[in-house]
Amino acid sequence: MALFGLFNYSKPGPGVDKNGPKKKRFFYFFELYGRKFWKLIELNLLYLVCCIPIVTIGPATCGLVYILRNFANEKPVFMVSDFFDAFKSNFKQGFVIGLFDLLTTGIVSVALIWYIANQQLSIAMAIPLVICIIVEVLLMFMRFYTYLMTVTVELPIKYILKNSFIFAFLGLKSNLISGFWTVLLILPLLWLWPWLLFFVVIGFSTLAFIATFNSYPYIVKYIIEPHEKQMRAEMGEDDEDDDEDEEDDDEPIFTDIGSQEKPALPEKKPGKQKIIR
């Protein structure tokens, strides 16, 4: 029952003005996070259940990131079925990347702890300590893109890791923002163990959502859009004609092109060519 017009969800909203100003991404993120809050809790619990066997952490992260990518783009999602579809279709690459992630992060973290504990032995310990910190940060920045590219682009693992390394520097501004929130939310675990409950409920999906929201625009700009432009050029489509069609609101939605239809070009053999999913 509505109370003075409040909580009346059947009442139509004011709608969205397509010509209205776009919201800044900072405010848009929190608006989107609020709307997806309960879904993020469901997704977080689903992710934890699928991560119980350690070998499934990588594929489960692929399922998590796939759902969050659709959340960030406001695409419709069927939570459980889409999660497990991404889990299964990316199992092999997800497993290898997850294993690589665990091993590298684990080794660097152990070295970091050792150098911190023994830095009083010699001032020279500061050098490997700083190196470990830089490598740990670099691995974190790469992680923002590895799983996201795995569920978005069909590429060999070595190219996914190579591109993630490039994006770690190319998207430095967004990476610093994502990294700041990652450290800010994880750091309390060192002193406040009840904070672990936050991660059990919604912490993992929150951190991954922040990273996905900030990182995906770089994949769109430097991978998806160039790929689509190349495909249009190979099909003989003219971008200028497309722009003119978009500006002309009086054109009919459907037109009979008849003999103007261009024959389909033969498919290229799979190789280094990326396939957008």
Side-chain angles (χ1 to χ4, degrees), residues 15-53:
V16 178
D17 182 6
K18 68 177 183 179
N19 297 320
K22 292 184 178 181
K23 296 181 180 178
K24 292 185 177 181
R25 286 185 63 81
F26 177 82
F27 299 105
Y28 176 60
F29 169 81
F30 286 102
E31 176 189 321
L32 192 58
Y33 184 85
R35 283 194 276 119
K36 302 294 183 182
F37 182 79
W38 296 108
K39 291 293 183 181
L40 289 172
I41 293 178
E42 295 176 24
L43 180 60
N44 197 86
L45 297 176
L46 178 62
Y47 174 68
L48 286 179
V49 169
C50 293
C51 279
I52 291 175

Side-chain angles (χ1 to χ4, degrees), residues 18 32 46 50 67 69 72 82 89 91 107 161 165 200 213 227 230 232 248 255:
K18 68 177 183 179
L32 192 58
L46 178 62
C50 293
I67 298 296
R69 188 196 71 182
D82 287 351
S89 62
F91 187 89
I107 292 172
L161 295 177
F165 180 80
V200 173
F213 184 86
H227 175 76
Q230 179 184 357
R232 288 195 299 268
D248 190 355
T255 56

Side-chain angles (χ1 to χ4, degrees), residues 54-55 57-58 97-107 143 147:
I54 193 170
V55 296
I57 290 179
I97 290 175
L99 189 61
F100 171 83
D101 194 6
L102 289 174
L103 288 175
T104 54
T105 303
I107 292 172
R143 193 179 302 116
Y147 296 101

Side-chain angles (χ1 to χ4, degrees), residues 82-135:
D82 287 351
F83 179 93
F84 282 108
D85 284 345
F87 181 99
K88 291 183 291 185
S89 62
N90 297 284
F91 187 89
K92 184 177 179 180
Q93 285 192 325
F95 171 76
V96 175
I97 290 175
L99 189 61
F100 171 83
D101 194 6
L102 289 174
L103 288 175
T104 54
T105 303
I107 292 172
V108 176
S109 297
V110 170
L112 185 60
I113 293 172
W114 190 88
Y115 285 121
I116 291 175
N118 294 276
Q119 62 178 334
Q120 71 276 6
L121 298 178
S122 171
I123 192 172
M125 288 289 184
I127 297 175
L129 177 60
V130 171
I131 293 175
C132 284
I133 294 174
I134 293 174
V135 173

